[in-house]
Amino acid sequence: MANSKFEYVRNFETDDRCLPNTWIVVRVDGRGFHKFSEKHEFAKPNDKRSLDLMGKAAGRVMTEFKEICLAYGQSDEFSFVFKRDMDLHKRRASKLMTSVASIFTSAFVFHWPQFFDIPLKYPPSFDGRVVLYPSTQNLRDYLSWRQADCHINNLYNTAFWTLVLKGNLTNAEVISLKVL
Amino acid sequence: MANSKFEYVRNFETDDRCLPNTWIVVRVDGRGFHKFSEKHEFAKPNDKRSLDLMGKAAGRVMTEFKEICLAYGQSDEFSFVFKRDMDLHKRRASKLMTSVASIFTSAFVFHWPQFFDIPLKYPPSFDGRVVLYPSTQNLRDYLSWRQADCHINNLYNTAFWTLVLKGNLTNAEVISLKVL
Amino acid sequence: MANSKFEYVRNFETDDRCLPNTWIVVRVDGRGFHKFSEKHEFAKPNDKRSLDLMGKAAGRVMTEFKEICLAYGQSDEFSFVFKRDMDLHKRRASKLMTSVASIFTSAFVFHWPQFFDIPLKYPPSFDGRVVLYPSTQNLRDYLSWRQADCHINNLYNTAFWTLVLKGNLTNAEVISLKVL
Amino acid sequence: MANSKFEYVRNFETDDRCLPNTWIVVRVDGRGFHKFSEKHEFAKPNDKRSLDLMGKAAGRVMTEFKEICLAYGQSDEFSFVFKRDMDLHKRRASKLMTSVASIFTSAFVFHWPQFFDIPLKYPPSFDGRVVLYPSTQNLRDYLSWRQADCHINNLYNTAFWTLVLKGNLTNAEVISLKVL
C-alpha cells in the first residue's frame, strides 16, 4: 500500500500482552440490566429464560474459543477462564476481552427468540474486563468470590421477593423491615 | 457483604485509564467477515445492505455515548472518536472498548432483519481496540489513514469484481493478471 | 548462544513505550532527604551548596541526553523534559526513568567533594517517575505547578527558619504559632 | 496548598502497580561499561576489584530493601528478587526500579575508593527494568538463564584473553580464528 504518509499513526497503538503463565479471566457484565430486566418483564427473583439464554451465549463463546477451559455465570455476568499457557491472539488483552464481549452479546441477541416469547425491545449490551491470576489458588479464590457473591445476592433476592410476592408487602415496606 | 476471605482477588484488577487530554479512538473490526460475507451472499464488491446496517449499528453506539463526536466506517470496521476532554467511565480503556464493541455487535444483530431478507445463519462478532492520539493533527492523520485504506481497497475490489463479473474471468485468472 | 531452554523467560518482559508525540517528563526526587540534610548539616532554609550540586547533577543528565530540552529543579527534586518527537531508547519508559535517576545520582555523589567540605556519610539516592503531557499547555501547567510548589515551600521555610534562627523560638514554638 | 489551578496535571500520572502474588525482579545493567572498563583499565577477562565493588553495591541495595530475598550478579549487571507477597511502595514498578537503580549507582560511586586505587574519571550509571514472574519455576528459570549467560560469556572471555595475553595474538587475530 502506498499510504505511507499517514500510516505513522499506527505507532500509537500499544502492546498490551498479558503476562505469560498466568490465568487470564475475562468477565462480562450486563450494561443497564436493571432497566433491561424490567422492560422485558423478567420473573423475580430469578428468570429461568434469561439464565438459560446467558448459558447459551456462554456456550457460544466457548465454542469459538477452545482455549477457554472454564466458565462461571450468575445474574447478568459471566467469567471465562483461559488456559494458563495459551497463546491465542498473542495474549493481547484488548483482542481477548472485546472478542469475548462481542461474541457473548451477539449470541445473546441471536438466540433470544429461542428463550423468550416477547421480542427484544432494544439491543442489550455487556462490557468486559481482563484480570490475571498468577496462581491456581488465586484463580480458585476468584471463582469462590463470584460464587459467594452469587449466593449472597440470591439469598437476599429470594427473601425479598417472597415477602413482596407472597407476603403482600410493597418493595418499600420490605426495605423498611431492616431485617435483610 | 461477608465474603472478605476471597475478595482480595479484586486487587488483581489493574487501572487502565487513558491519558487525559488525548483523543480516544475505539475501532471495531469484523471477526471472520470474509467467511461471514460468503455465507450470507454479500453482493460484490460492495453490499449496500451490509454497509447500511454497519451505519445503523454505529448510530446506536453514538446514541448511547454522547461523548463520541465522530465516527468513520468502511468495509467491516468502524472508528469512534471520543471527545478529548471527556471523563466517561473515568476513561478506563477496558470499559470503553468492550462497551463499544458490544453495543455495535448487539445493534448489528438486532437490526439485521431490517436490512436483509435472509435470516442470520450464526451470530457475527467484532473485536475492538483503543488508540490514543495526543494532537488534533494526529487524529486527522488517523482518519486520513483509514480513508486512504478505504479508497485503495475499494479501487482494488471494484476492478477485481468487474473483471470477474463482467469480464468472465475466474478469481484465479484475475489474480494471475498481476496488473492489480 | 545455546541457552534456549531458559531463554523463554525473556517473554515476560513487557513493552512500555511512551505514547508518541507527547512531552515526556522524568522527575527525580530525593529518598529520605529530610534525614540526609540533617546528617550533613544543611543550612536552613536553603543550603546553597546542595542546590548548586543538584544543578551540577542535572547538567550531567542533560549532557548525556541531548534529547532533554529543559530541566527545572527545587529542593531535592528535578524535572527533565524530553523533546516531544524524540525516539531515544524507543521511548521506553523504564529505560528513560532509570537512566535519568541513575545518572543524576551518580553525578550527585561524584561531584559532592566539589561543593561540600565534609565527606558523604552514606550514599544518597533518588527515585524517579515518567509522566506524559499531550499538549504544550499541559507541560507549561506542569512546570507552573512545580514552580508554585517551590514558591509556597520556600515562603514557608524562610518564615519558619527566620523565626527560629533570628527570633530565638524553638521549632515547636513556631509550629504552635499557627500563623504559618 | 493554594495551587489548585495547575495541580490537575497530577492526573496525568499513571498507576503502574505490579500484579500481586508474582515475583518482582529488578535488573540493573551498566550503561556504556565497555568504554568505562577501558578508561579505568579493568583487568581482563575479569576485574576482581570491579566484581567486588558490584557486590558491595548490591549489598547496599539489600540493606535498604529488606523485601529483597535474593540477588544475583555477573559482569556489569545485577538482578534483585523481591518477595512474592511484599507490598513495598504499593508494588509500584516506577518506584521500585528507579530506587534500586539509584541506590546501586550511589553505592558504586561512594565505595569506589575502597576498591580502586585510581580515582573515577567520570560518573558511571546503570539502567534498570522490572520483570514479573508468576511461578517459582519461572523465577528459577530466570536465574538459570542469567547463570548460563554468565557461564558462556565467561568461557568466551577467558579463552579470548588467554590467547591475547599469553598467546601473544592481537584481538583481531583471535577473532579471525573462528574457533570461538
Side-chain angles (χ1 to χ4, degrees), chain C residues 9-148:
Chain C
V9 295
R10 258 194 151 149
N11 297 324
F12 290 69
E13 301 194 15
T14 52
D15 180 17
D16 62 343
R17 277 179 235 194
C18 297
L19 186 67
N21 196 24
T22 53
W23 295 100
I24 299 176
V25 174
V26 174
R27 183 168 76 243
V28 296
D29 282 281
R31 295 179 66 251
F33 259 55
H34 186 76
K35 179 189 148 205
F36 182 79
S37 65
E38 277 184 1
K39 290 271 182 192
H40 293 86
E41 295 168 11
F42 279 21
K44 296 295 179 183
N46 293 309
D47 188 291
K48 186 169 176 353
R49 299 165 303 172
S50 168
L51 294 177
D52 286 348
L53 175 53
M54 290 287 289
K56 181 79 180 178
R60 176 76 200 179
V61 172
M62 294 186 81
T63 301
E64 288 209 25
F65 289 147
K66 301 301 185 201
E67 295 81 0
I68 294 173
C69 57
L70 190 154
Y72 175 76
Q74 58 149 315
S75 182
D76 62 345
E77 71 166 55
F78 236 101
S79 296
F80 297 92
V81 182
F82 284 85
K83 277 178 209 158
R84 195 169 181 152
D85 59 356
M86 76 109 196
D87 198 36
L88 181 71
H89 294 316
K90 292 182 185 162
R91 297 174 74 86
R92 272 176 298 150
S94 304
K95 201 91 174 175
L96 296 173
M97 69 178 128
T98 56
S99 296
V100 168
S102 177
I103 297 169
F104 190 88
T105 304
S106 191
F108 190 92
V109 177
F110 183 82
H111 294 294
W112 175 274
Q114 289 174 241
F115 296 85
F116 284 86
D117 287 331
I118 55 167
L120 267 173
K121 292 185 199 301
Y122 61 88
S125 57
F126 297 82
D127 60 40
R129 76 192 68 196
V130 157
V131 194
L132 304 181
Y133 291 109
S135 76
T136 304
Q137 185 62 47
N138 292 148
L139 174 65
R140 193 191 154 105
D141 288 346
Y142 168 77
L143 293 166
S144 297
W145 176 50
R146 299 323 301 148
Q147 193 177 38

Side-chain angles (χ1 to χ4, degrees), chain D residues 67-120:
Chain D
E67 295 79 3
I68 294 173
C69 56
L70 189 154
Y72 176 76
Q74 59 149 314
S75 181
D76 63 346
E77 71 167 55
F78 236 100
S79 296
F80 298 92
V81 182
F82 284 85
K83 280 178 207 157
R84 196 168 181 155
D85 59 356
M86 76 108 197
D87 198 36
L88 182 71
H89 293 318
K90 292 183 185 162
R91 298 174 74 87
R92 272 176 298 151
S94 306
K95 200 93 175 177
L96 296 174
M97 70 178 129
T98 55
S99 296
V100 168
S102 176
I103 297 169
F104 190 88
T105 305
S106 192
F108 190 92
V109 177
F110 183 81
H111 294 295
W112 174 274
Q114 289 173 241
F115 296 87
F116 283 86
D117 287 334
I118 56 166
L120 268 172

Side-chain angles (χ1 to χ4, degrees), chain A residues 1-3 5-10 12-14 16 27 31 60 64-65 89 92-95 97-99 101-103 105-107 109-111 120-134 137-142 144-145 148-149 152-153, chain B residues 1-3 5-10 12-14 16 27 31 60 64-65 89 92-95 97-99 101-103 105-107 109-111 120-134 137-142 144-145 148-149 152-153:
Chain A
M1 304 270 170
N3 48 346
K5 186 182 158 197
F6 303 123
E7 224 172 347
Y8 80 93
V9 295
R10 258 193 151 149
F12 290 68
E13 300 194 15
T14 52
D16 62 344
R27 182 168 78 243
R31 294 180 65 252
R60 176 78 199 177
E64 289 210 24
F65 287 148
H89 293 317
R92 271 176 298 151
S94 304
K95 202 91 174 179
M97 69 178 131
T98 55
S99 296
S102 177
I103 297 169
T105 304
S106 191
V109 177
F110 183 82
H111 294 293
L120 266 174
K121 292 185 200 301
Y122 62 87
S125 57
F126 297 82
D127 60 41
R129 77 193 68 195
V130 157
V131 195
L132 304 181
Y133 290 109
Q137 185 61 48
N138 293 147
L139 175 64
R140 194 191 153 105
D141 288 346
Y142 169 77
S144 297
W145 175 49
D149 189 74
I152 288 168
N153 289 334
Chain B
M1 304 268 170
N3 48 348
K5 189 181 155 197
F6 303 123
E7 224 171 348
Y8 80 92
V9 295
R10 258 191 151 151
F12 289 69
E13 301 194 15
T14 51
D16 62 343
R27 182 167 80 243
R31 296 180 63 252
R60 175 78 199 178
E64 289 210 24
F65 287 147
H89 295 315
R92 271 175 298 152
S94 305
K95 201 91 175 177
M97 69 178 129
T98 57
S99 296
S102 177
I103 297 168
T105 305
S106 191
V109 177
F110 183 82
H111 293 294
L120 268 173
K121 293 186 200 300
Y122 62 87
S125 57
F126 297 82
D127 59 41
R129 77 192 68 194
V130 157
V131 195
L132 305 182
Y133 290 108
Q137 185 61 47
N138 292 147
L139 174 65
R140 194 192 154 105
D141 288 347
Y142 169 77
S144 297
W145 176 49
D149 188 75
I152 288 168
N153 288 334

Side-chain angles (χ1 to χ4, degrees), chain A residues 65-77:
Chain A
F65 287 148
K66 301 301 185 200
E67 295 81 1
I68 294 174
C69 56
L70 190 154
Y72 175 76
Q74 59 149 314
S75 182
D76 62 345
E77 72 165 54

